[in-house]
Amino acid sequence: MDDLREIYERIKLLRHNGVKMKEIAACTGFAPSVLSAVFTTVMPEYIKNLDKGMNRDEALDNALVWVNNVSKKNSSVRSAT
């Protein structure tokens, strides 16, 4: 099994069992907002791309576009306030 898919499934299981993203982030060293954004946008897109038949590198490259999109969205929200 692909490592990123396995990590995604483990996080889903933890979340389903009531573990908060903040707690998971503390164990990984990621900021909770970063881990949450990756979990809700990049990882599902990556898995969807793999399921479409893309190889791992292509699937990850296409999924990482979401990192830039999330960053731009957060920047525009901050500048509007």
Side-chain angles (χ1 to χ4, degrees):
M1 180 182 254
D2 182 58
D3 289 343
L4 289 178
R5 185 187 296 259
E6 186 175 335
I7 291 167
Y8 179 71
E9 293 301 326
R10 287 181 184 208
I11 293 173
K12 274 183 20 181
L13 180 63
L14 289 169
R15 298 283 296 135
H16 179 73
N17 289 325
V19 179
K20 298 189 182 310
M21 192 60 77
K22 187 176 182 177
E23 296 171 54
I24 299 169
C27 293
T28 63
F30 281 91
S33 60
V34 172
L35 184 60
S36 182
V38 169
F39 176 71
T40 60
T41 57
V42 176
M43 293 178 108
E45 186 68 20
Y46 171 74
I47 291 168
K48 184 174 81 174
N49 291 339
L50 285 178
D51 292 344
K52 287 180 181 177
M54 291 182 188
N55 67 47
R56 288 186 209 164
D57 290 339
E58 185 179 27
L60 186 56
D61 285 345
N62 285 324
L64 286 173
V65 168
W66 285 99
V67 172
N68 194 25
N69 291 342
V70 169
S71 176
K72 284 181 183 177
K73 182 178 177 182
N74 287 339
S75 293
S76 65
V77 168
R78 280 192 294 260
S79 16
T81 56

